[in-house]
Amino acid sequence: MAGPRVVIIGAGVVGAALADEVSARGWTEVTVVDQGPLPATGGSSSHAPGLVFQTNSSKTMTEMARYTVEKFCSLDVDGKPCFLQVGGLEVATGPERLAELQRRHGWITAWGIEAKLLTPEECVKQHPLVNRERILGGLHVPTDGLAKAVLAVEAQIRRATERGVRFLARHEVLDIRQDEGRVTGVVTDQGELDADIVVCCAGIWGPKIARMVGLDLPLTPLGHQLAWTGPVPALAGQTQEAIRPILRHQDADLYYRDRFDGFGIGYYGHRPMPTTAEEILSFDEADEMPSVLKFTEEDFAPAWAETQSLLPATQEAKVEEGINGLFSFTTDNFPLLGESPDVKGFWVAEAVWVTHSAGVGKAVAEWLVDGYCSSFDLHECDLNRFEPHQLSPEYVLARDCQNFVEVYDILHPLQPSGDPRPIRTSPFHPRQQEHGAFFLEANGWERPQWYEANAHLVEGRSIPTPNDWAAQYWSPIVGAEAQVTRETVAMYDMTALKRLEVSGPGAAAFLEGLVTGKVAKSVGSVTYTLLLDHDGGIRSDITVARLSRDLFQVGANGNLDLDWFTRHLPADGTVQVRDITPGTCCIGLWGPLARKVLQPLTDEDFTNDGLKYFRAKRAYIGSVPVTAMRLSYVGELGWELYTTADQGLKLWDTLWEAARPLGGIIAGRGAFNSLRLEKGYRSFGTDMTYEHDAYEAGVGFAVKPDKGDFTGKDALLRRKENVTRRLTCLTIDDPRSVVMGKEPVYDGERAVGYVTSASYGYTIGKGIAYAWLPAEVAVPGNSVQIGYFDRRIEAVVTEEPLFDPTMSRLRG
């Protein structure tokens, strides 16, 4: 036996995959427990219809699905295959859905999976029972298909068992043992199991297990309707389980699959049916299985009527059986993976559907054994990504139910989430409302996208209108605000950006060991630097300001940065980290007249000599104490001005009264995004993630190899010698051809990369898109094409930055 003692709770499709993957990596002192029998344990895996559609707006989720397909295709149980690769077909019955399928084709192509847009006739050729008169076209992915979940569980159990893994059926978990903040074992109704690591793969029971260690999971089990028809005469004599593609009719919240001479019909169009982990019956109490609730025929009536229209052959059949099956939903539709922030050794792999199960098993196995995941970028899936408000029961239930309702909806990239809103408001919110702010949401914050009070600024300006899709959640005011920022001065609400305070006598050494740059510099220094994972990938880009000998302020990207710092704190108590975001606020004052606004308001010297670029100082602006940092992510002279939340409104009013006579404005995030792309500034989570390194992402300047050791240093330097792709600036001449991100990029007929961020550059008069491209393609002057719905948009690889390459405006 090798490796630590591991107990996996849950032997469904995720737990079985994890046991298989972790034992294949040499950890064999592994025990898997489940309250039900094996291999059909009674959870979601046991009733899952098995449809695997790989297309997803998330690259990570698509890659996990692809791995699941590849693995399941290689598995069988006594000759019975675990995957039926019949392909997947999504059909459109209206023009909006047809456009959405074109967008989805862009995603799947960008992520490197073969797919094809079909005419109505081609759709019928793939699935002859589809009513040709109802459809406008379709999307076909040949490698999609049906996962035989219970067989896949059995196949992976067999493989893991051969390596020494134990599987214990009929073991109900009653408690998790802990000692001094670390798991030590699992208590079951059949006895206790010692453990160094416990992984919760309990699915719909996950919140119940997690609460045993004081962990709140933002997961809700919701009932989802699945019905089976009796024999369909048109399918008479079909001896194979499935020969037609799995089918999605998302306009009506429906999907379909063959089952010999009948159909399985899944339906998301009914009312949400939430429950709790505690309300789910045990295996012995349930009529069929715990994850199966009684079918409600009245909820299914619209689905059956629509089915008979789309698939007329079903008019000669009847619905003979059905269930309301429980599945896990989360607040952002991503899985919950990772280690508890408070109890060491307690891990979760939750809210995972069959589609992504083997991929998640591989990801978590790598994470456990190696200390990081090398196969997938997990920043979207990390358990610790949530802000505190996102774990409240009211929030979780509302958002999980909303995600059920919207599961097949056409959602715009900027579309804000629904209730509960507003949740977080900056001190400036009353003034923003007075100026007609159009708010979108950022980590729960209400953040202005533009201000209707600036509508008059549009007159006399050349601000092109983008295409219909890009024009949603857009106004020409965005362009005016961007241009005025470059002409005079603008105030931006930057409160939504996370702020951490790192303090204590060990703070400087602590930070030096985690970041790529030198931060133990003079008081007042500000450093743009990176956090790396152990494989050299970028975990975050941050700014670190040294405010006193033992006090630093970190401009972070989110809660994962706080979690990373917390996990690396020294045991001697010489360093403290805390989130100061809720108690503080920030205004970005930027533009060529920024100094004329600020200097008369303070006795401190804000000349170029008095506060140089990337320096910080404390000062009074009027009567308000601020921390001023000379930073600008719009590429203009100016400062980030921080103060406490109680004095934020006074700071806003003070600056606004000084800016107005100079033609200053307040501006929103739409203008900010355009300006930062003109300057070539990256956005973590969009332009670069865990899978990328500093040199290919174009931020190698933030790495100081001559400093002491830091996390990921050796791995990064090895990666430096083999840069095969680059984050690349593209420009687009056609002003209506503004893309939104995640579109494929073509070199000739070959898809070679994908767009990350995009906007129109209102200063340079061109569209801008950043994209990951092969190094040999990312050569200035090269022409490429961006796939956008049913079009190919001409773009040119362009030297960056597009605006102020000499940095004269920033440093003036």
Side-chain angles (χ1 to χ4, degrees), residues 361-417:
K362 181 180 183 180
V364 176
E366 290 179 353
W367 201 349
L368 287 169
V369 176
D370 301 331
Y372 60 91
C373 176
S374 58
S375 295
F376 308 101
D377 163 31
L378 297 182
H379 86 276
E380 294 169 312
C381 307
D382 194 308
L383 165 71
N384 298 292
R385 65 190 180 268
F386 299 103
E387 296 290 326
H389 75 273
Q390 294 172 319
L391 300 175
S392 72
E394 178 189 26
Y395 181 95
V396 171
L397 180 60
R399 288 293 168 90
D400 289 355
C401 288
Q402 178 184 338
N403 287 339
F404 178 89
V405 170
E406 294 179 345
V407 69
Y408 281 169
D409 285 3
I410 299 170
L411 301 176
H412 192 274
L414 295 179
Q415 185 168 326
S417 300

Side-chain angles (χ1 to χ4, degrees), residues 203-209 211 219 221 275-281:
I204 52 179
W205 290 278
K208 180 180 179 180
I209 300 297
R211 274 193 284 273
L219 181 161
T275 187
T276 66
E278 287 75 13
E279 293 173 316
I280 302 170
L281 298 176

Side-chain angles (χ1 to χ4, degrees), residues 11 80 113 147 169 429 450 646:
K80 293 179 287 187
I113 295 178
H429 191 251
W450 69 81
D646 61 324

Side-chain angles (χ1 to χ4, degrees), residues 634-647:
V634 302
E636 293 290 340
L637 170 68
W639 300 267
E640 293 178 357
L641 301 171
Y642 299 88
T643 192
T644 52
D646 61 324
Q647 298 187 77

Side-chain angles (χ1 to χ4, degrees), residues 443-651:
N443 291 325
W445 293 96
E446 296 295 314
R447 184 167 66 185
Q449 193 73 358
W450 69 81
Y451 294 89
E452 288 295 332
N454 290 330
H456 67 282
L457 298 174
V458 176
E459 297 177 16
R461 296 181 180 274
S462 177
I463 300 172
T465 301
N467 56 79
D468 291 345
W469 182 250
Q472 294 185 47
Y473 305 100
W474 176 89
S475 166
I477 298 171
V478 168
E481 290 178 356
Q483 291 178 356
V484 172
T485 301
R486 297 249 188 260
E487 295 163 0
T488 58
V489 64
M491 293 165 50
Y492 288 82
D493 181 0
M494 304 300 291
T495 303
L497 298 182
K498 199 166 193 71
R499 293 170 292 284
L500 307 177
E501 182 182 272
V502 181
S503 61
F510 167 73
L511 288 168
E512 282 288 336
L514 289 179
V515 304
T516 61
K518 296 179 180 179
V519 297
K521 299 186 291 190
S522 61
V523 172
S525 65
V526 183
T527 306
Y528 173 81
T529 187
L530 308 174
L531 296 173
L532 304 183
D533 214 328
H534 299 282
D535 65 346
I538 301 170
R539 285 197 64 95
S540 189
D541 66 333
I542 61 176
T543 55
V544 180
R546 191 170 201 175
L547 302 183
S548 68
R549 182 181 182 275
D550 297 330
L551 177 65
F552 295 80
Q553 182 171 312
V554 176
N557 281 297
N559 216 54
L560 290 180
D561 294 344
L562 174 60
D563 181 67
W564 186 252
F565 281 144
T566 302
R567 289 183 187 278
H568 289 84
L569 285 173
D572 60 9
T574 58
V575 184
Q576 295 80 45
V577 176
R578 68 185 185 103
D579 183 0
I580 62 171
T581 312
T584 56
C585 57
C586 178
I587 296 173
L589 180 70
W590 295 314
L593 302 184
R595 188 173 284 121
K596 290 186 176 181
V597 172
L598 194 63
Q599 188 62 78
L601 301 175
T602 180
D603 293 333
E604 292 289 333
D605 184 1
F606 276 87
T607 65
N608 199 35
D609 291 333
L611 187 63
K612 295 184 182 297
Y613 186 53
F614 264 80
R615 296 287 297 178
K617 70 162 61 174
R618 286 176 167 150
Y620 284 93
I621 305 301
S623 60
V624 179
V626 303
T627 299
M629 299 185 195
R630 191 169 167 193
L631 311 177
S632 172
Y633 282 87
V634 302
E636 293 290 340
L637 170 68
W639 300 267
E640 293 178 357
L641 301 171
Y642 299 88
T643 192
T644 52
D646 61 324
Q647 298 187 77
L649 193 58
K650 179 63 175 177
L651 176 63

